[in-house]
Amino acid sequence: MARLPQRFYRRDALDVARDLLGKILRRGPVRLRITEVEAYRHGGDTANHCRAGRTPRNAAMWGPPGRAYVYVCYGLHQMLNLVTDEDGQGAAVLIRAAEPLAGHDVIRTRRGGLDGPALLTGPGKVGAALGLDTSFCHHPLYRAGGLEVLDAAPVAQVLCGPRIGIDYATPEHVRAPWRLAVADNRWVSHRKTLSARA
DNA sequence: TCTACGATCTTT
DNA sequence: AAGATCGTAGAT
């Protein structure tokens, strides 16, 4: 399948998040099917890294869309985001989980190789599997080479629920069901707090 | 400079 | 239930 064009990302993060489910992340021999995502939206989302304005860390998140925003969490996890919306909005989709399709022999986690069914459920594991670090900030995902996102068949049924680890946000945004996941798939974290979505 | 704190993961 | 582990942001 072809790479997703830049215009795919140039709309609201929640819409992009929904349509990213089932798409393919590729880096070299490694291919991962996206199974769980979170939208960090423009317009006052108090969980969004851009909520307090532009900083050196979040620079890539302000656009242009279709590029990577990677940041370090808890000092050790490399978190992959795909930048969305128009330039200057400060929005992105966090990749929370993925199903390994190819490159199993190359995929690594913090503990070593791919050795169990629970792996790649959690954003830190996705970043490790793709060997990412903050130097991937601004990397264009719609161009050939390095890290790419490929088109694939749409997902039939989607689950949704509140985002994980954002208790610092306002109650409205803590509750917002902006975490989306592929239904009936084992590569999804925090299943208990997900439910059916229209 | 100093300090507090994570869009987490693992082990206990 | 809590420790690991360190870059970032905001305060000083």
Side-chain angles (χ1 to χ4, degrees):
Chain A
M1 281 289 226
R3 289 184 303 282
L4 293 173
Q6 186 178 27
R7 65 175 178 278
F8 175 92
Y9 304 92
R10 196 181 291 280
R11 47 201 175 112
D12 189 280
L14 189 57
D15 296 323
V16 176
R18 166 64 180 80
D19 293 341
L20 274 173
L21 292 174
K23 306 308 187 204
I24 309 299
L25 285 162
R26 178 172 72 188
R27 185 184 181 198
V30 176
R31 294 165 70 98
L32 309 179
R33 178 171 178 259
I34 298 171
T35 51
E36 182 185 351
V37 295
E38 281 177 358
Y40 287 88
R41 306 174 74 186
H42 74 83
D45 180 0
T46 54
N48 189 322
H49 276 181
C50 292
R51 65 189 176 279
R54 193 181 196 104
T55 68
R57 176 175 73 156
N58 69 28
M61 209 173 147
W62 294 95
R67 305 175 95 105
Y69 165 48
V70 178
Y71 72 94
V72 178
C73 186
Y74 292 95
L76 59 167
H77 303 297
Q78 314 289 321
M79 313 279 272
L80 171 62
N81 295 259
L82 311 187
V83 178
T84 67
D85 293 73
E86 298 289 342
D87 288 66
Q89 301 274 36
V93 173
L94 170 69
I95 309 298
R96 281 198 58 86
E99 172 181 358
L101 299 180
H104 298 251
D105 51 334
V106 183
I107 292 174
R108 293 291 175 268
T109 68
R110 289 192 75 246
R111 292 200 319 184
L114 199 57
D115 58 11
L119 295 179
L120 299 197
T121 57
K125 295 174 184 176
V126 173
L130 292 168
L132 302 181
D133 57 60
T134 55
S135 70
F136 278 79
C137 279
H138 302 100
H139 177 87
L141 300 152
Y142 48 86
R143 288 212 278 262
L147 183 64
E148 306 171 356
V149 182
L150 310 181
D151 199 3
V155 169
Q157 197 186 353
V158 175
L159 304 179
C160 73
R163 293 171 291 179
I164 301 298
I166 55 157
D167 290 344
Y168 54 82
T170 61
E172 171 194 4
H173 294 133
V174 168
R175 282 194 303 268
W178 296 344
R179 180 164 67 104
L180 307 178
V182 176
D184 301 316
N185 188 284
R186 71 193 299 192
W187 308 93
V188 172
S189 69
H190 299 265
R191 293 162 154 282
K192 290 78 47 186
T193 54
L194 291 171
S195 54
R197 180 183 197 256

